[in-house]
Amino acid sequence: MQALRAAGRTALSQQKAIRTPRHSRRLHVTTRNGTDGVFKELTEMRVRTPWVEALRKKEEEGLDPTKSSSTPATPSDRDLTPKRMADSYHRVVIPLAQDPWLLDNYLNASGHIRLGTIFMDLDALSGVIAYKHTGESVTTVTAAVDRITINHPLKELCDLELSGQVTFATGRSSMEISIQVAKAPKGDASVHKEDVLMTCAFTMVSLDPNTKKPVAICPVKIETEEERRLFELGEKNYNTKKARAKTGLRKQTPNDEESDLIHAMWLRQLDYHDPNNPLRKPPNTHYMSTTTLSSSQIMQPQYRNRHNFMIFGGYLLKTTFELAFCAAAAFSHSRPTFLSLDPSTFDNPVPVGSVLYLKATVAYTEPAAASEEGESDTPSTRVQIRIDSK
């Protein structure tokens, strides 16, 4: 091997002897953390080990990091003193208006901001904030994304400010992180309400790196009335999610009102096929089974999380959102406008190397309210897309 390397250097030096400097060029450049579409500053905080090194370490140790063990790794004497909300505050500015090549990663085919890429940044930012609150001794994962709402659509390309902090944590294993995306203010100016593009909340859960079981984290300390408002909002969201989990279809059968509605829909469908009934399916009505759109893809290591062998939640969020967008476009034969993302849960981690199957279905439609149609005179319809994965 040494002889081959020496020969290679000799050949290279001979080439340099016959070339002028202006004809030489660098054949390759190794850049750190060039892994995915997430903003570089957030990626550097998330992906810390090259994939090849993570694989080598896994082979040398002979352990599967995705499996749980009986030996806890989290110190039992961790300091769980309450922390201020401001301690976890983090802010990044994405200079889209200043860097055309960076903007390339954030534009869709029509020249508008690609929301799926922003969603990836939001999840990456929530991870940074979570670890500022918990420290590095625990594994923190995305458990759920609460409703993401577009407050004021962007009408121009500009620098974007992403900021957030832990706003709800009681000392259990979970925390709520509130984040907003806004036009980046100039200088030391503060963000105006009309400049806020979207708001959202992420629920993060801290686990022991070895046992994969929930571990306690620091509660937040309330210091101002605004922080109290944020905390109470987080507490309300927490209680709502607990109540919703108890009434889901996997836990409870449909109530009388829901059963009556399902029965009426079934009878109406029978009428469409009854030769003695003149009622027929309207031309603008579609069976739900005909609205599905499916995809499957291998989960590649470029989209791994900071623990290396599971897929980054932001990538899953982007992938499901863009499939939902495609399903709405296929159903309506038009370019849909995103309004909001309903609460989404991550029930199980997705390993690197697995195949992810997604299915989008039009679950509900209704005429849009006049305020949602805006200045356009063209009638519009609200379309709700459901995404299932396995």
Side-chain angles (χ1 to χ4, degrees), residues 42 51 59 62 79 94 103 110 122 155 223 228 266 270 279 286 298 304 313 316 319 329 339-340 370:
L42 296 172
W51 174 244
E59 293 171 357
D79 182 12
I94 306 177
L103 182 61
S110 61
L122 292 176
K155 297 181 180 179
E223 296 181 319
R228 183 174 301 280
W266 178 69
L270 291 181
L279 185 65
H286 302 271
I298 299 176
R304 66 192 183 277
L316 300 176
T319 303
L339 295 178
S340 63

Side-chain angles (χ1 to χ4, degrees), residues 135-246:
E136 300 286 339
S137 62
V138 300
T139 295
T140 301
V141 297
T142 306
V145 183
D146 290 336
R147 190 178 185 89
I148 298 178
T149 304
I150 297 292
N151 296 24
H152 301 94
L154 278 180
K155 297 181 180 179
E156 60 180 339
L157 295 176
C158 60
D159 296 346
L160 294 180
E161 178 193 85
L162 279 61
S163 61
Q165 61 189 355
V166 175
T167 52
F168 177 73
T170 61
R172 299 187 181 92
S173 61
S174 65
M175 71 195 95
E176 181 171 287
I177 297 172
S178 300
I179 298 178
Q180 73 173 21
V181 181
K183 289 183 181 180
K186 295 182 179 180
D188 297 330
S190 58
V191 173
H192 298 292
K193 185 177 180 180
E194 61 271 17
D195 290 334
V196 176
L197 167 63
M198 68 175 71
T199 55
C200 61
F202 284 75
T203 299
M204 313 291 284
V205 174
S206 293
L207 311 173
D208 183 277
N210 286 357
T211 64
K212 314 301 182 190
K213 293 182 178 179
V215 294
I217 61 173
C218 301
V220 292
K221 181 168 56 175
I222 301 172
E223 296 181 319
T224 67
E225 286 303 314
E226 175 61 15
E227 289 182 354
R228 183 174 301 280
R229 184 189 70 81
L230 292 172
F231 184 89
E232 290 176 351
L233 180 60
E235 186 176 33
K236 179 181 178 182
N237 292 339
Y238 174 79
N239 292 332
T240 299
K241 281 182 286 189
K242 285 187 65 175
R244 188 184 298 124
K246 294 179 181 179

Side-chain angles (χ1 to χ4, degrees), residues 147 339-340 364-369 372 380-384:
R147 190 178 185 89
L339 295 178
S340 63
Y364 183 74
T365 64
E366 69 174 8
E372 293 175 354
S380 59
T381 301
R382 290 172 60 99
V383 179
Q384 186 179 59

Side-chain angles (χ1 to χ4, degrees), residues 262-281 287:
I262 294 171
H263 186 253
M265 293 171 65
W266 178 69
L267 290 178
R268 176 60 61 91
Q269 180 177 304
L270 291 181
D271 290 341
Y272 290 156
H273 300 281
D274 185 355
N276 298 317
N277 192 325
L279 185 65
R280 291 294 177 265
K281 182 173 76 68
Y287 292 114

Side-chain angles (χ1 to χ4, degrees), residues 60-132:
E60 290 171 359
E61 296 180 351
L63 300 174
D64 187 351
T66 64
K67 304 296 183 182
S68 61
S69 68
S70 59
T71 306
T74 304
S76 57
D77 58 347
R78 283 189 307 134
D79 182 12
L80 298 179
T81 304
K83 290 186 176 181
R84 300 181 307 141
M85 290 187 184
D87 292 337
S88 62
Y89 178 80
H90 196 82
R91 168 185 178 269
V92 294
V93 174
I94 306 177
L96 300 181
Q98 304 174 45
D99 189 342
W101 286 111
L102 175 63
L103 182 61
D104 245 28
N105 295 328
Y106 287 84
L107 289 184
N108 59 24
S110 61
H112 297 91
I113 293 296
R114 187 178 178 185
L115 290 176
T117 306
I118 297 294
F119 292 167
M120 291 177 68
D121 285 341
L122 292 176
D123 190 75
L125 176 60
S126 70
V128 172
I129 294 170
Y131 278 103
K132 290 181 74 171

